Amino acid sequence: MKIITKRIHAFLDYPVAIALIVLPFLLGLGTSNALALQLSVTTGIAAFILTLLTNHHLGAFKVISYQIHLIVDFIVAIVFISVPIFFPFKAIDAYYYWINGVVILTVITLDKSGDLI
């Protein structure tokens, strides 16, 4: 059942981007690998820019199609789920990425506007 509209997704994007920037510091990410902190902050900044550029009602510049946005979200989810396996992330560093990756996949799966999954 696809219950997330393009509008809901747009409203989720900005807080998620900000959370990806701020949460690593609040949670103390990077104890098992400095990449755990850096990847989240970098992804958060990129997500904020992507949202600004996406063609939906909260996009400021509307130059990237919503489908491309969903593809980028999917790639981020796969990277987030995979990175703790390929790098020595342990404890909170690993759990943070696995949980975020699964949540992103869930949002994409429930998105009415996209047919990626």
Side-chain angles (χ1 to χ4, degrees):
M1 175 194 280
K2 299 205 175 223
I3 58 172
I4 296 178
T5 64
K6 186 177 181 181
R7 184 175 187 85
I8 292 170
H9 189 123
F11 278 112
L12 292 172
D13 279 339
Y14 287 109
V16 167
I18 292 167
L20 287 170
I21 296 167
V22 173
L23 277 177
F25 297 102
L26 296 177
L27 296 173
L29 258 58
T31 56
S32 67
N33 188 322
L35 180 62
L37 178 104
Q38 298 162 355
L39 179 62
S40 183
V41 173
T42 302
T43 303
I45 293 167
F48 195 86
I49 293 167
L50 176 67
T51 302
L52 285 172
L53 297 175
T54 298
N55 186 10
H56 55 44
H57 73 287
L58 292 179
F61 302 102
K62 302 180 188 325
V63 294
I64 297 174
S65 75
Y66 186 66
Q67 286 302 115
I68 297 296
H69 179 110
L70 290 175
I71 291 168
V72 171
D73 283 352
F74 179 77
I75 292 167
V76 168
I78 299 305
V79 168
F80 275 18
I81 291 168
S82 303
V83 75
I85 297 166
F86 296 110
F87 294 92
F89 286 14
K90 295 181 181 10
I92 188 72
D93 291 349
Y95 299 136
Y96 176 84
Y97 283 96
W98 287 329
I99 291 167
N100 275 302
V102 168
V103 169
I104 294 167
L105 277 179
T106 301
V107 168
I108 294 168
T109 301
L110 297 176
D111 194 306
K112 288 181 177 184
S113 303
D115 292 324
L116 294 177
I117 299 177

